[in-house]
Amino acid sequence: MHGHRTSFSLEDEFWAELKTIAGARSIPLAALISEIDDHRPPDSNLSSALRLHVLSWLKASGDRKP
């Protein structure tokens, strides 16, 4: 994708969260992954970038809970 290496591996729990994020944003999962890929540093690992995105999303979601 976009000049980066595209192979990556994620645990099922991260896949589930990425699907939840994509659904919450009303975008296809592939579009979410492309967006994350586009914004990661070129020397970073896509798997790590995806995991960090999930972590960031969950932390931000937790901040909104009463």
Side-chain angles (χ1 to χ4, degrees), residues 23-58:
R25 293 186 51 202
S26 299
I27 62 173
L29 179 59
L32 176 63
I33 292 170
S34 290
E35 180 181 295
I36 296 166
D37 186 35
D38 286 345
H39 292 96
R40 71 183 171 103
D43 61 341
S44 71
N45 178 288
L46 180 55
S47 298
S48 295
L50 294 169
R51 288 185 187 98
L52 289 173
H53 187 82
V54 168
L55 177 61
S56 177
W57 175 270
L58 290 173

